[in-house]
């Protein structure tokens, strides 16, 4: 399978703990995006990378959130000092510059903060 | 920034009927309007898209229309089938290769057999 993969698929943590999610995009895709989706809502843009450069961050991305894409391939999203309001599905997507604009999504990492 | 509004939030139709979902966008610079389908436990998947230089596009039972002047676009599904039941999202972006895509809140479609 050469689609976008995310790990872990589910994470349950206690408030105040740190969590990290990993995303492996489609190999030839140079853009990578992180979105957050809460129940009954559409995906909300968090941040995106072109190769290793983080080009834009949403105001939703507080200073407790950090994303990296160190070698322009996989990416990590870390949430420090988790709060109950961080409970959501974190979706990763990738695309190719110059393509149609279609985003290819992974199946997401569901975070539950107790 | 861009804002995308989507209606209705829930839509229930009888198998074989048509379903229409409507969206409006705020940023006149947006030039790419994709529609995604999300099934339970999965990420959204593109089903059809339209660019701002086109008014209508059709792919089998699915069609999209775009009115740039009014800044609204619609998804039409004809001859609905139970497997069409899912959540549908409209979205808008500008530039090429995806850029920052902004999504509507979604429409949960139920197709009753």
């Amino acid at each position: 399978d050469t689609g976008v993969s995310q790990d872990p698929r589910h994470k349950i943590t206690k408030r105040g703990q740190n969590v990290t999610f990993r995303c492996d995009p489609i190999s030839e895709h140079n853009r990578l995006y992180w979105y957050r989706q809460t129940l009954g809502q559409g995906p909300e843009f968090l941040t995106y990378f072109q190769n290793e450069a983080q080009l834009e961050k949403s105001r939703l991305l507080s200073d407790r959130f950090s994303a990296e894409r160190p070698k322009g391939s996989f990416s990590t999203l870390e949430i420090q000092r988790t709060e109950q309001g961080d409970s959501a599905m974190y979706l990763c997507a990738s695309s190719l510059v110059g393509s149609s604009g279609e985003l290819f999504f992974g199946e997401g990492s569901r975070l539950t903060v107790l | 920034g861009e804002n995308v509004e989507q209606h209705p939030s829930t839509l229930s139709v009888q198998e074989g009927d048509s379903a229409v979902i409507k969206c409006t966008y705020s940023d006149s610079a947006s030039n790419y309007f994709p529609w995604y389908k999300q099934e339970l436990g999965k990420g959204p998947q593109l089903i059809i898209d339209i660019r701002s230089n086109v008014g209508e596009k059709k792919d089998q039972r699915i069609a999209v229309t775009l009115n740039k002047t009014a800044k609204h676009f619609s998804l039409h599904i004809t001859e609905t089938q139970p497997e069409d039941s899912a959540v549908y999202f409209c979205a808008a972006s500008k530039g090429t290769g995806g850029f920052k895509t902004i999504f509507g809140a979604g429409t949960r479609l139920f197709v009753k057999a």
Side-chain angles (χ1 to χ4, degrees):
Chain A
D1 184 16
T2 57
V4 177
S5 62
Q6 293 188 243
D7 184 71
R9 293 291 311 281
H10 303 274
K11 179 72 176 178
I12 300 174
T13 191
K14 293 183 179 179
R15 190 176 53 186
Q17 298 294 304
N18 299 344
V19 296
T20 299
F21 301 114
R22 176 180 169 125
C23 171
D24 287 89
I26 293 172
S27 59
E28 62 267 28
H29 284 183
N30 44 17
R31 281 194 177 151
L32 185 149
Y33 310 77
W34 285 99
Y35 283 82
R36 181 173 68 187
Q37 187 176 27
T38 53
L39 200 62
Q41 297 298 314
E44 295 175 294
F45 172 80
L46 293 179
T47 188
Y48 90 99
F49 294 83
Q50 182 161 316
N51 301 313
E52 65 275 10
Q54 188 173 18
L55 296 187
E56 187 167 347
K57 293 196 295 185
S58 164
R59 290 190 306 272
L60 294 174
L61 214 64
S62 76
D63 56 5
R64 296 185 298 106
F65 288 71
S66 62
E68 293 183 344
R69 193 182 184 199
K71 296 181 181 179
S73 56
F74 73 92
S75 176
T76 57
L77 176 69
E78 181 183 17
I79 309 174
Q80 296 183 324
R81 306 181 302 281
T82 52
E83 302 173 355
Q84 287 185 326
D86 297 332
S87 295
M89 176 75 83
Y90 290 86
L91 291 165
C92 176
S94 68
S95 72
L96 188 62
V97 174
S99 69
S100 64
E102 178 179 359
L103 300 184
F104 293 81
F105 282 89
E107 295 194 325
S109 293
R110 180 169 295 285
L111 173 65
T112 302
V113 181
L114 302 176
Chain B
E2 175 67 280
N3 183 50
V4 178
E5 305 229 345
Q6 182 171 349
H7 300 279
S9 56
T10 305
L11 180 58
S12 184
V13 300
Q14 204 68 35
E15 182 179 1
D17 287 350
S18 295
V20 179
I21 302 170
K22 298 183 178 182
C23 291
T24 60
Y25 62 99
S26 60
D27 189 344
S28 56
S30 291
N31 60 3
Y32 176 65
F33 305 93
W35 288 86
Y36 287 82
K37 177 182 181 182
Q38 187 173 31
E39 297 177 333
L40 200 60
K42 296 187 176 181
Q45 187 170 11
L46 182 78
I47 54 170
I48 194 166
D49 55 13
I50 191 167
R51 294 213 164 271
S52 57
N53 58 349
V54 175
E56 185 173 355
K57 183 177 178 180
K58 190 173 181 181
D59 182 4
Q60 298 182 20
R61 297 186 296 110
I62 297 173
V64 291
T65 58
L66 171 66
N67 183 326
K68 281 174 54 181
T69 305
K71 290 192 279 189
H72 63 70
F73 56 117
S74 302
L75 176 72
H76 304 250
I77 306 174
T78 58
E79 300 170 20
T80 53
Q81 300 167 2
E83 52 265 38
D84 294 330
S85 296
V87 180
Y88 292 81
F89 295 100
C90 62
S93 73
K94 51 191 175 186
T96 60
F99 199 58
K100 183 176 75 175
T101 302
I102 304 301
F103 288 79
T107 296
R108 184 171 293 278
L109 174 64
F110 296 96
V111 180
K112 296 176 286 186

